Structures are given as C-alpha cells and as structure tokens.
Amino acid sequence: MYNVLISGYCGKMGRDVEKAIEETDDFEVIAGYDIASTGSDKKPIYSRIEDLDISPDIIIDFSRPEATMTLL
C-alpha cells in the first residue's frame, strides 16, 4: 500500500484524483495540501507545507505553479 498526499486537494481535480485513488487497493490518500482548506474535509488538509507531520510515499500535484515550487 502506498500513502499519497494530494497537493491542490480542495480543487476539482484534487477531488477527482482522490475518488480515483479510493477505487484502487494499492493506494491510500492520507492527507492533502491546499491553502484553500475549509477544515471540514475527511482527510487532514495542510495549508502550510511546513506543518506536514506525515511521510507520504507519493505526492500528486494538481495545484498552481507557485504552490508547486513551495512543495518542491
């Protein structure tokens, strides 16, 4: 099982990626990274990359270019 972090989690594509991952047995979304988090999500959503206290195996990025640079 691979643990996945979705960057851009609160956007439409981030949600679609999560749905696709939920249909697999080999991957699990453990958290998201998005500055637009409302705090009402079913997974922990980090609005600051510095606050991440998890170690994902994979990061899928569907964010804006400036957010990607921060993530890198």
Coordinates of all heavy atoms in Angstrom, one line a residue:
M1 N 0.8 -1.2 0.0 CA 0.0 0.0 0.0 C 0.9 1.2 0.0 O 1.8 1.3 0.8 CB -0.9 0.0 1.2 CG -1.7 1.2 1.5 SD -3.3 1.4 0.6 CE -4.1 -0.1 1.2
Y2 N 0.6 2.2 -0.9 CA 1.3 3.4 -1.0 C 0.5 4.6 -0.4 O -0.7 4.7 -0.7 CB 1.7 3.8 -2.5 CG 2.6 2.8 -3.1 CD1 2.2 1.8 -3.9 CD2 4.0 2.9 -2.8 CE1 3.1 0.9 -4.5 CE2 4.9 2.0 -3.4 CZ 4.4 1.0 -4.2 OH 5.3 0.1 -4.8
N3 N 1.1 5.4 0.4 CA 0.4 6.5 1.0 C 0.6 7.7 0.1 O 1.7 8.0 -0.3 CB 1.0 6.8 2.4 CG 0.6 5.7 3.4 OD1 -0.5 5.2 3.3 ND2 1.6 5.4 4.2
V4 N -0.5 8.4 -0.2 CA -0.5 9.5 -1.1 C -0.9 10.8 -0.5 O -1.8 10.9 0.3 CB -1.5 9.2 -2.3 CG1 -1.5 10.4 -3.3 CG2 -1.1 7.9 -3.0
L5 N -0.2 11.9 -0.8 CA -0.5 13.3 -0.5 C -1.0 13.9 -1.8 O -0.2 13.9 -2.8 CB 0.7 14.0 0.1 CG 0.5 15.5 0.3 CD1 -0.4 15.8 1.6 CD2 1.8 16.2 0.4
I6 N -2.1 14.6 -1.8 CA -2.6 15.3 -3.0 C -2.4 16.8 -2.7 O -3.0 17.4 -1.8 CB -4.1 15.0 -3.3 CG1 -4.3 13.5 -3.5 CG2 -4.5 15.9 -4.5 CD1 -5.7 13.1 -3.7
S7 N -1.6 17.4 -3.5 CA -1.4 18.9 -3.5 C -2.4 19.5 -4.4 O -2.6 19.1 -5.6 CB 0.0 19.3 -3.9 OG 0.2 20.6 -3.9
G8 N -3.2 20.5 -3.9 CA -4.3 21.0 -4.7 C -5.6 20.2 -4.3 O -6.5 20.1 -5.1
Y9 N -5.6 19.6 -3.2 CA -6.7 18.7 -2.7 C -8.1 19.3 -2.8 O -9.0 18.6 -3.2 CB -6.4 18.3 -1.3 CG -7.4 17.3 -0.7 CD1 -7.3 16.0 -0.9 CD2 -8.4 17.8 0.1 CE1 -8.2 15.1 -0.4 CE2 -9.3 16.9 0.7 CZ -9.2 15.6 0.4 OH -10.1 14.7 1.0
C10 N -8.2 20.6 -2.5 CA -9.6 21.2 -2.5 C -10.1 21.6 -3.8 O -11.3 21.9 -3.9 CB -9.5 22.4 -1.5 SG -9.2 22.0 0.2
G11 N -9.3 21.5 -4.9 CA -9.8 21.8 -6.2 C -10.6 20.6 -6.8 O -10.5 19.5 -6.3
K12 N -11.2 20.9 -8.0 CA -12.0 19.9 -8.6 C -11.1 18.7 -9.0 O -11.5 17.5 -8.8 CB -12.7 20.4 -9.9 CG -13.5 19.3 -10.6 CD -14.2 19.8 -11.7 CE -15.0 18.8 -12.5 NZ -14.9 17.4 -12.2
M13 N -9.9 18.9 -9.6 CA -9.1 17.8 -10.0 C -8.5 17.1 -8.8 O -8.4 15.9 -8.8 CB -7.9 18.3 -10.9 CG -8.3 18.7 -12.3 SD -9.2 17.3 -13.1 CE -7.9 16.1 -13.2
G14 N -8.2 17.8 -7.7 CA -7.8 17.1 -6.5 C -8.8 16.1 -6.0 O -8.5 15.0 -5.6
R15 N -10.1 16.6 -6.0 CA -11.2 15.7 -5.5 C -11.3 14.5 -6.5 O -11.6 13.4 -6.0 CB -12.5 16.5 -5.4 CG -12.4 17.6 -4.4 CD -12.1 17.1 -3.0 NE -12.0 18.2 -2.1 CZ -12.2 18.1 -0.8 NH1 -12.5 16.9 -0.2 NH2 -12.2 19.2 0.0
D16 N -11.2 14.8 -7.8 CA -11.3 13.7 -8.7 C -10.2 12.7 -8.6 O -10.4 11.4 -8.7 CB -11.4 14.2 -10.2 CG -12.7 14.9 -10.5 OD1 -13.7 14.8 -9.7 OD2 -12.7 15.6 -11.5
V17 N -9.0 13.1 -8.3 CA -7.9 12.2 -8.1 C -8.1 11.4 -6.9 O -7.9 10.2 -6.9 CB -6.5 13.0 -8.0 CG1 -5.4 12.1 -7.4 CG2 -6.2 13.6 -9.3
E18 N -8.6 12.0 -5.8 CA -8.9 11.2 -4.6 C -10.0 10.1 -4.9 O -9.8 9.0 -4.4 CB -9.5 12.2 -3.5 CG -9.8 11.4 -2.2 CD -10.4 12.3 -1.1 OE1 -11.2 13.2 -1.5 OE2 -10.1 12.0 0.0
K19 N -11.0 10.5 -5.6 CA -12.0 9.5 -6.0 C -11.4 8.3 -6.7 O -11.7 7.1 -6.5 CB -13.2 10.1 -6.8 CG -14.1 11.0 -5.9 CD -15.1 11.6 -6.8 CE -15.9 12.7 -6.0 NZ -16.8 13.5 -6.9
A20 N -10.5 8.6 -7.7 CA -9.9 7.6 -8.5 C -9.0 6.7 -7.6 O -9.0 5.5 -7.7 CB -9.1 8.2 -9.6
I21 N -8.3 7.3 -6.7 CA -7.4 6.5 -5.8 C -8.2 5.6 -4.8 O -7.8 4.5 -4.5 CB -6.5 7.5 -5.0 CG1 -5.5 8.1 -5.9 CG2 -5.8 6.8 -3.8 CD1 -4.6 9.2 -5.3
E22 N -9.4 6.1 -4.4 CA -10.2 5.3 -3.5 C -10.7 4.1 -4.1 O -11.1 3.1 -3.5 CB -11.4 6.2 -3.0 CG -11.0 7.2 -2.0 CD -12.2 8.1 -1.6 OE1 -13.3 8.1 -2.2 OE2 -12.0 8.8 -0.6
E23 N -10.7 4.0 -5.5 CA -11.2 2.8 -6.2 C -10.1 1.8 -6.4 O -10.3 0.8 -7.0 CB -11.8 3.3 -7.5 CG -13.0 4.1 -7.4 CD -13.5 4.6 -8.8 OE1 -12.9 4.3 -9.8 OE2 -14.5 5.4 -8.7
T24 N -8.9 2.1 -5.9 CA -7.8 1.1 -6.0 C -7.5 0.5 -4.7 O -7.9 1.0 -3.6 CB -6.5 1.8 -6.5 OG1 -6.0 2.7 -5.5 CG2 -6.8 2.6 -7.8
D25 N -6.8 -0.6 -4.7 CA -6.4 -1.3 -3.5 C -4.9 -1.0 -3.1 O -4.5 -1.3 -2.0 CB -6.5 -2.8 -3.7 CG -8.0 -3.2 -3.8 OD1 -8.9 -2.5 -3.3 OD2 -8.2 -4.2 -4.5
D26 N -4.2 -0.4 -4.0 CA -2.8 -0.2 -3.8 C -2.4 1.1 -3.3 O -1.2 1.3 -2.9 CB -2.0 -0.5 -5.1 CG -2.2 -1.9 -5.6 OD1 -2.3 -2.8 -4.8 OD2 -2.1 -2.1 -6.8
F27 N -3.3 2.1 -3.2 CA -3.0 3.4 -2.8 C -4.0 3.9 -1.8 O -5.2 3.5 -1.9 CB -3.0 4.4 -4.1 CG -2.1 4.0 -5.1 CD1 -2.4 3.1 -6.1 CD2 -0.8 4.4 -5.1 CE1 -1.6 2.8 -7.1 CE2 0.1 4.1 -6.1 CZ -0.2 3.2 -7.1
E28 N -3.6 4.8 -0.9 CA -4.5 5.4 0.0 C -4.1 6.9 0.2 O -2.9 7.2 0.4 CB -4.4 4.7 1.4 CG -5.3 5.4 2.4 CD -5.1 4.7 3.8 OE1 -4.3 3.8 4.0 OE2 -5.9 5.1 4.7
V29 N -5.1 7.8 0.1 CA -4.9 9.2 0.3 C -4.8 9.4 1.8 O -5.8 9.1 2.5 CB -6.0 10.1 -0.3 CG1 -5.8 11.5 0.0 CG2 -6.0 9.9 -1.8
I30 N -3.7 9.9 2.3 CA -3.6 10.1 3.8 C -3.7 11.5 4.2 O -4.0 11.8 5.3 CB -2.3 9.5 4.3 CG1 -1.1 10.2 3.6 CG2 -2.2 8.0 4.2 CD1 0.3 9.8 4.2
A31 N -3.6 12.5 3.2 CA -3.7 13.9 3.5 C -3.7 14.7 2.2 O -3.4 14.2 1.1 CB -2.6 14.3 4.4
G32 N -4.0 16.0 2.4 CA -3.9 16.9 1.3 C -3.1 18.1 1.7 O -2.9 18.4 2.9
Y33 N -2.7 18.9 0.7 CA -2.0 20.1 0.9 C -2.8 21.2 0.0 O -2.9 21.0 -1.2 CB -0.6 20.0 0.4 CG 0.2 21.3 0.3 CD1 0.3 22.2 1.4 CD2 0.8 21.6 -0.9 CE1 0.9 23.4 1.2 CE2 1.5 22.8 -1.0 CZ 1.6 23.7 0.0 OH 2.3 24.9 -0.1
D34 N -3.3 22.2 0.6 CA -4.1 23.2 -0.1 C -4.3 24.4 0.7 O -4.7 24.3 1.9 CB -5.4 22.6 -0.6 CG -6.0 23.4 -1.7 OD1 -6.1 24.7 -1.6 OD2 -6.4 22.8 -2.7
I35 N -4.0 25.6 0.2 CA -4.2 26.8 1.0 C -5.7 27.1 1.1 O -6.1 28.0 2.0 CB -3.4 28.0 0.4 CG1 -3.9 28.3 -1.0 CG2 -2.0 27.8 0.5 CD1 -3.3 29.6 -1.6
A36 N -6.6 26.5 0.4 CA -8.0 26.8 0.4 C -8.8 25.8 1.3 O -10.0 25.7 1.2 CB -8.5 26.7 -1.0
S37 N -8.1 25.2 2.2 CA -8.8 24.2 3.1 C -9.9 24.9 4.0 O -9.6 26.0 4.5 CB -7.8 23.5 4.0 OG -8.5 22.7 4.9
T38 N -11.0 24.2 4.0 CA -12.1 24.8 4.9 C -12.1 24.1 6.3 O -12.8 24.5 7.1 CB -13.5 24.5 4.2 OG1 -13.7 23.1 4.1 CG2 -13.6 25.1 2.9
G39 N -11.3 23.1 6.4 CA -11.3 22.4 7.7 C -12.3 21.4 7.9 O -12.4 20.8 9.0
S40 N -13.2 21.2 6.9 CA -14.3 20.3 7.0 C -14.1 19.0 6.2 O -15.0 18.4 5.8 CB -15.6 20.9 6.6 OG -15.5 21.4 5.3
D41 N -12.9 18.8 5.8 CA -12.6 17.6 4.9 C -12.4 16.3 5.7 O -12.1 16.4 6.9 CB -11.3 17.9 4.2 CG -11.4 19.2 3.3 OD1 -12.2 19.1 2.4 OD2 -10.8 20.2 3.7
K42 N -12.6 15.2 5.1 CA -12.5 13.9 5.7 C -11.0 13.5 6.0 O -10.8 12.6 6.8 CB -13.3 12.8 5.0 CG -12.9 12.7 3.5 CD -13.8 11.7 2.9 CE -13.5 11.7 1.4 NZ -14.5 10.8 0.7
K43 N -10.1 14.1 5.3 CA -8.7 13.8 5.5 C -8.0 15.1 6.1 O -8.5 16.2 5.9 CB -8.0 13.5 4.1 CG -8.6 12.4 3.3 CD -8.2 11.1 3.8 CE -8.7 10.0 2.8 NZ -8.9 8.8 3.4
P44 N -6.9 14.9 6.7 CA -6.2 16.2 7.2 C -5.7 17.0 6.0 O -5.1 16.4 5.0 CB -5.0 15.6 8.0 CG -5.0 14.2 7.9 CD -6.2 13.7 7.2
I45 N -5.9 18.2 6.0 CA -5.5 19.1 4.9 C -4.5 20.1 5.5 O -4.9 20.8 6.5 CB -6.7 19.9 4.3 CG1 -7.8 18.9 3.9 CG2 -6.2 20.7 3.1 CD1 -7.3 17.9 2.8
Y46 N -3.4 20.2 5.0 CA -2.4 21.1 5.4 C -2.3 22.4 4.5 O -2.3 22.2 3.3 CB -1.0 20.5 5.4 CG -0.9 19.3 6.4 CD1 -1.3 18.0 6.0 CD2 -0.5 19.5 7.7 CE1 -1.2 16.9 6.8 CE2 -0.5 18.4 8.6 CZ -0.8 17.1 8.1 OH -0.8 16.1 9.0
S47 N -2.4 23.5 5.1 CA -2.3 24.8 4.3 C -0.9 25.3 4.3 O -0.6 26.2 3.5 CB -3.3 25.8 4.9 OG -3.0 26.1 6.2
R48 N 0.0 24.8 5.1 CA 1.4 25.2 5.2 C 2.2 23.9 5.1 O 2.1 23.0 5.9 CB 1.7 25.9 6.4 CG 1.1 27.3 6.5 CD 1.4 28.0 7.8 NE 2.3 27.4 8.7 CZ 3.6 27.9 9.0 NH1 3.9 29.0 8.5 NH2 4.4 27.3 9.8
I49 N 3.1 23.8 4.1 CA 3.9 22.6 3.9 C 4.8 22.3 5.1 O 5.1 21.2 5.4 CB 4.7 22.7 2.6 CG1 5.1 21.3 2.1 CG2 5.9 23.6 2.7 CD1 3.9 20.5 1.6
E50 N 5.1 23.4 5.8 CA 6.0 23.3 7.0 C 5.3 22.5 8.1 O 5.9 22.0 9.0 CB 6.4 24.6 7.5 CG 7.2 25.5 6.6 CD 6.3 26.3 5.6 OE1 5.1 26.3 5.8 OE2 6.9 26.8 4.6
D51 N 4.0 22.4 8.1 CA 3.2 21.8 9.1 C 3.0 20.3 8.9 O 2.5 19.6 9.7 CB 1.8 22.4 9.3 CG 1.9 23.8 9.8 OD1 3.0 24.2 10.4 OD2 1.0 24.6 9.5
L52 N 3.4 19.8 7.7 CA 3.3 18.4 7.4 C 4.0 17.5 8.5 O 5.1 17.7 8.7 CB 3.9 18.1 6.0 CG 2.9 17.5 5.0 CD1 2.2 18.7 4.3 CD2 3.6 16.7 4.0
D53 N 3.2 16.6 9.1 CA 3.8 15.7 10.0 C 3.6 14.2 9.6 O 3.6 13.3 10.4 CB 3.2 15.9 11.4 CG 1.7 15.7 11.4 OD1 1.1 15.4 10.4 OD2 1.1 15.8 12.5
I54 N 3.5 14.0 8.3 CA 3.3 12.7 7.7 C 4.4 12.5 6.7 O 5.1 13.4 6.3 CB 2.0 12.6 7.0 CG1 1.8 13.7 5.9 CG2 0.8 12.6 8.0 CD1 0.7 13.4 5.0
S55 N 4.6 11.3 6.3 CA 5.6 10.9 5.2 C 4.9 10.1 4.1 O 4.9 8.9 4.1 CB 6.7 10.1 5.8 OG 7.4 10.8 6.8
P56 N 4.4 10.9 3.1 CA 3.8 10.2 2.0 C 4.8 9.5 1.1 O 5.9 9.9 1.0 CB 3.1 11.3 1.2 CG 3.9 12.5 1.5 CD 4.4 12.3 2.9
D57 N 4.4 8.4 0.5 CA 5.2 7.7 -0.5 C 5.2 8.4 -1.8 O 6.1 8.4 -2.6 CB 4.8 6.3 -0.7 CG 4.8 5.5 0.6 OD1 5.9 5.5 1.3 OD2 3.8 4.9 1.0
I58 N 4.0 9.0 -2.1 CA 3.8 9.7 -3.4 C 3.1 11.0 -3.2 O 2.2 11.1 -2.3 CB 2.9 8.8 -4.3 CG1 3.5 7.4 -4.5 CG2 2.5 9.5 -5.6 CD1 2.6 6.4 -5.1
I59 N 3.5 12.0 -4.0 CA 2.8 13.3 -3.9 C 2.3 13.5 -5.4 O 3.0 13.5 -6.3 CB 3.7 14.4 -3.6 CG1 4.3 14.2 -2.1 CG2 3.0 15.8 -3.7 CD1 5.3 15.2 -1.7
I60 N 1.0 13.7 -5.4 CA 0.3 14.1 -6.7 C 0.0 15.5 -6.7 O -0.7 16.0 -5.8 CB -0.9 13.2 -7.0 CG1 -0.5 11.7 -7.0 CG2 -1.6 13.7 -8.2 CD1 -1.7 10.8 -7.2
D61 N 0.4 16.3 -7.6 CA 0.3 17.8 -7.6 C -0.7 18.3 -8.7 O -0.4 18.2 -9.8 CB 1.7 18.4 -7.7 CG 1.6 19.9 -7.6 OD1 0.6 20.4 -7.1 OD2 2.6 20.6 -7.9
F62 N -1.8 18.8 -8.2 CA -2.8 19.5 -9.1 C -3.0 20.9 -8.6 O -4.1 21.3 -8.4 CB -4.1 18.7 -9.2 CG -4.1 17.7 -10.3 CD1 -3.8 16.3 -10.0 CD2 -4.3 18.0 -11.6 CE1 -3.8 15.4 -11.0 CE2 -4.3 17.1 -12.6 CZ -4.1 15.8 -12.3
S63 N -1.9 21.5 -8.3 CA -2.0 22.9 -7.7 C -1.5 23.9 -8.7 O -1.3 23.6 -9.9 CB -1.2 23.0 -6.4 OG 0.2 22.8 -6.7
R64 N -1.3 25.1 -8.3 CA -0.8 26.2 -9.1 C 0.7 26.1 -9.2 O 1.3 25.6 -8.2 CB -1.3 27.5 -8.6 CG -2.8 27.6 -8.6 CD -3.3 29.0 -8.0 NE -2.6 30.1 -8.7 CZ -3.1 30.7 -9.8 NH1 -4.2 30.2 -10.3 NH2 -2.5 31.7 -10.3
P65 N 1.3 26.7 -10.2 CA 2.8 26.6 -10.3 C 3.5 27.2 -9.1 O 4.5 26.6 -8.6 CB 3.1 27.4 -11.5 CG 1.9 27.3 -12.4 CD 0.7 27.3 -11.4
E66 N 3.0 28.2 -8.5 CA 3.7 28.8 -7.3 C 3.6 27.9 -6.1 O 4.6 27.8 -5.3 CB 3.2 30.2 -7.0 CG 1.8 30.4 -6.9 CD 1.0 30.6 -8.2 OE1 1.6 30.5 -9.3 OE2 -0.2 30.9 -8.1
A67 N 2.6 27.1 -6.0 CA 2.4 26.2 -4.9 C 3.4 25.0 -5.1 O 3.9 24.4 -4.2 CB 1.0 25.7 -4.8
T68 N 3.5 24.6 -6.4 CA 4.4 23.5 -6.7 C 5.9 23.8 -6.3 O 6.6 23.0 -5.7 CB 4.4 23.2 -8.2 OG1 3.1 22.9 -8.6 CG2 5.4 22.1 -8.6
M69 N 6.3 25.0 -6.5 CA 7.7 25.4 -6.1 C 7.8 25.4 -4.6 O 8.9 24.9 -4.1 CB 8.0 26.8 -6.6 CG 8.0 26.9 -8.2 SD 9.0 25.6 -9.0 CE 10.6 26.0 -8.4
T70 N 6.8 25.7 -3.9 CA 6.9 25.6 -2.4 C 7.0 24.2 -2.0 O 7.7 23.8 -1.1 CB 5.7 26.3 -1.7 OG1 5.6 27.7 -2.1 CG2 5.7 26.2 -0.2
L71 N 6.2 23.3 -2.6 CA 6.2 21.9 -2.3 C 7.5 21.2 -2.6 O 8.0 20.4 -1.8 CB 5.1 21.2 -3.2 CG 4.8 19.8 -2.9 CD1 4.3 19.6 -1.5 CD2 3.8 19.3 -3.9
L72 N 8.1 21.6 -3.7 CA 9.4 21.1 -4.0 C 10.5 21.5 -3.0 O 11.3 20.7 -2.7 CB 9.9 21.5 -5.4 CG 9.1 20.9 -6.6 CD1 9.5 21.6 -7.9 CD2 9.2 19.4 -6.6

